[in-house]
Amino acid sequence: MLLSLVLHTYSMRYVLPAAVMMGTAPTYMLAWGAWRLLSALLPARFYHQVDDRLYTLYQSMVLFFFENYTGVQIILYGDLPKTKENVVYISNHQCTVDWIVADMLAIRQNALGHIRYVLKDGLKWLPLYGWYFYQHGGIYVKRSAKFDVKKMKSNLQAQAKAETPMYLVIFPEGTRYNPELPKVIADSQSYADKEELPVLRHVLTPRVKATHVAVDSLEDYLDAVYDVTVAYEGTVDLKGQRKVAPSMTDFLCKECPRIHIYVDRIDVKDIPKEPMYIRRWLHERFEIKDRLLIEFYDAKDSKRRNKFPGKCVHSKLSLKKTLPSLLFLTGLTASMLLTESGRKLYMKTWIYGTLLGWLWVSIIV
């Protein structure tokens, strides 16, 4: 019984962070909604300037839990610039925490509010968040033949015209690499073999459409592409086989001691423009990722495992960047919940905000 209690307590460590992050969402949406109405007649760039600050506020709170609360060590390799710039961020994809890793890098460049995601179409139905991500500059895309190139291009060009700072996050694999889904991995490898492309072991064959449209649409606006490779320490079993990367719940239960992040900055002028060439270029970038991950997971010398080659920096996020956001949003939410009218407004925001968001995305997105 004591063991069961200990295990239960351990598994509940994610409840408080999840409750705070979800619980402050209506408060955040009310603040954002007020600004959206006030800025309706202003140029788009004014809306995005304040929206980016609001997004920074909320995501800084999220990072308090994912970095300061968990105590995870962030180990950086490569050449992450210290200053913000307009970029397309491409990364391998293995779990939901990958979205947070983009935040971890952006906050270290003071660019957290500039993150926009290319998301799978189904995520637009997330209560509150699905609608907001689109309003923040996110782009929902469908796979294969249903991918709307014209719509994505128009969206990105409009943002560039409004001088919206751009930190566009794309996961070109299109789905997660999951060792427990061998058929997905086998199908990806079969496709690469069929197309006479090198077969990849630790990543899936990348899909080129979103990356090509992004680079092509923002060509004169971008500074660089960040090619990011992520590995979560502790994702190998006793037999040396790769395990599933941690979910957000696992991560908040402090089951990942270290994240290794390799950043390769590629100047936009060094990226090919023609679809055929950029397809090959993107696959070559994933070949590099695969070699890095083979070194990380499978190096014959055990001393070389669980790290990428080259120099690294242990990067710790200061509480000064996250704690004020946590205190502000939780304090604002608590003050709302102390009054009956505040509680009614809070619940109406959850209910009607979600319904309005679903209506909006069903018509517009």
Side-chain angles (χ1 to χ4, degrees), residues 124-228:
K124 68 186 181 184
W125 302 110
L126 285 172
L128 295 184
Y129 295 96
W131 178 33
Y132 175 70
F133 282 143
Y134 179 79
Q135 296 287 334
H136 184 65
I139 299 168
Y140 291 104
V141 296
K142 296 179 181 179
R143 294 179 180 174
S144 305
K146 294 182 179 180
F147 189 104
D148 193 334
V149 171
K150 186 177 179 181
K151 192 172 184 179
M152 180 176 177
K153 192 168 187 175
S154 174
N155 188 314
L156 289 173
Q157 288 176 339
Q159 293 193 60
K161 186 177 180 181
E163 300 179 356
T164 305
M166 189 60 63
Y167 204 103
L168 186 67
V169 178
I170 301 174
F171 297 107
E173 291 160 286
T175 192
R176 302 172 206 164
Y177 180 99
N178 185 344
E180 293 183 354
L181 298 175
K183 186 178 185 304
V184 173
I185 298 171
D187 288 347
S188 174
Q189 293 173 338
S190 296
Y191 175 77
D193 189 51
K194 179 183 175 182
E195 295 294 314
E196 299 183 345
L197 295 167
V199 174
L200 308 171
R201 286 172 54 188
H202 284 290
V203 291
L204 302 178
T205 304
R207 302 164 187 255
V208 73
K209 279 186 180 179
T211 305
H212 176 243
V213 173
V215 173
D216 183 57
S217 304
L218 300 170
E219 178 184 356
D220 298 325
Y221 192 65
L222 289 179
D223 297 302
V225 167
Y226 292 170
D227 183 4
V228 179

Side-chain angles (χ1 to χ4, degrees), residues 312-353:
C312 66
V313 175
H314 290 248
S315 179
K316 187 174 182 179
L317 183 61
S318 171
L319 277 170
K320 293 179 181 178
K321 289 195 171 185
T322 59
L323 187 58
S325 296
L326 171 69
L327 296 176
F328 179 78
L329 285 170
T330 53
L332 197 60
T333 303
S335 64
M336 182 184 298
L337 294 176
L338 286 174
T339 65
E340 185 178 353
S341 58
R343 289 191 291 272
K344 287 181 179 179
L345 179 60
Y346 181 89
M347 291 306 300
K348 285 179 179 179
T349 302
W350 261 120
I351 297 168
Y352 297 119

Side-chain angles (χ1 to χ4, degrees), residues 33-300:
W35 170 241
R36 193 72 183 99
L37 290 172
L38 289 171
S39 65
L41 300 178
L42 298 176
R45 67 177 180 275
F46 291 112
Y47 161 71
H48 283 297
Q49 285 174 3
V50 176
D51 177 54
D52 284 1
R53 290 179 183 275
L54 289 172
Y55 190 75
T56 299
L57 179 71
Y58 186 82
Q59 292 301 115
S60 296
M61 179 194 67
V62 170
L63 286 175
F64 169 83
F65 290 111
F66 278 90
E67 283 206 54
N68 304 119
Y69 171 80
T70 63
V72 66
Q73 294 181 40
I74 306 301
I75 304 175
L76 301 178
Y77 306 76
D79 49 0
L80 179 70
K82 293 183 179 180
T83 56
K84 63 183 75 174
E85 52 186 348
N86 291 317
V87 301
V88 168
Y89 169 117
I90 58 173
S91 174
N92 59 314
H93 193 23
Q94 51 204 311
C95 62
T96 50
V97 182
D98 294 336
W99 301 100
I100 306 299
V101 171
D103 287 350
M104 292 174 175
L105 294 182
I107 198 171
R108 286 163 169 80
Q109 297 177 273
N110 293 317
L112 184 55
H114 302 168
I115 285 188
R116 333 279 170 194
Y117 295 112
V118 174
L119 300 149
K120 287 190 287 191
D121 189 66
L123 293 175
K124 68 186 181 184
W125 302 110
L126 285 172
L128 295 184
Y129 295 96
W131 178 33
Y132 175 70
F133 282 143
Y134 179 79
Q135 296 287 334
H136 184 65
I139 299 168
Y140 291 104
V141 296
K142 296 179 181 179
R143 294 179 180 174
S144 305
K146 294 182 179 180
F147 189 104
D148 193 334
V149 171
K150 186 177 179 181
K151 192 172 184 179
M152 180 176 177
K153 192 168 187 175
S154 174
N155 188 314
L156 289 173
Q157 288 176 339
Q159 293 193 60
K161 186 177 180 181
E163 300 179 356
T164 305
M166 189 60 63
Y167 204 103
L168 186 67
V169 178
I170 301 174
F171 297 107
E173 291 160 286
T175 192
R176 302 172 206 164
Y177 180 99
N178 185 344
E180 293 183 354
L181 298 175
K183 186 178 185 304
V184 173
I185 298 171
D187 288 347
S188 174
Q189 293 173 338
S190 296
Y191 175 77
D193 189 51
K194 179 183 175 182
E195 295 294 314
E196 299 183 345
L197 295 167
V199 174
L200 308 171
R201 286 172 54 188
H202 284 290
V203 291
L204 302 178
T205 304
R207 302 164 187 255
V208 73
K209 279 186 180 179
T211 305
H212 176 243
V213 173
V215 173
D216 183 57
S217 304
L218 300 170
E219 178 184 356
D220 298 325
Y221 192 65
L222 289 179
D223 297 302
V225 167
Y226 292 170
D227 183 4
V228 179
T229 306
V230 180
Y232 299 92
E233 200 165 316
T235 50
V236 174
D237 64 21
L238 295 176
K239 296 180 180 179
Q241 299 299 309
R242 188 170 169 186
K243 299 191 300 183
V244 178
S247 65
M248 287 188 179
T249 300
D250 296 331
F251 197 90
L252 290 170
C253 285
K254 306 182 181 183
E255 293 189 9
C256 179
R258 283 170 287 277
I259 305 178
H260 298 257
I261 309 170
Y262 195 105
V263 182
D264 193 358
R265 182 190 183 278
I266 306 159
D267 197 285
V268 71
K269 69 176 184 295
D270 296 327
I271 300 170
K273 305 301 184 294
E274 294 298 322
M276 180 176 65
Y277 295 117
I278 196 171
R279 178 172 179 262
R280 180 65 210 181
W281 172 85
L282 184 62
H283 197 87
E284 287 172 353
R285 297 311 309 179
F286 271 73
E287 290 174 51
I288 294 170
K289 290 180 185 298
D290 204 42
R291 289 196 291 271
L292 286 170
L293 292 168
I294 288 171
E295 182 79 6
F296 187 91
Y297 290 111
D298 305 326
K300 292 181 180 179

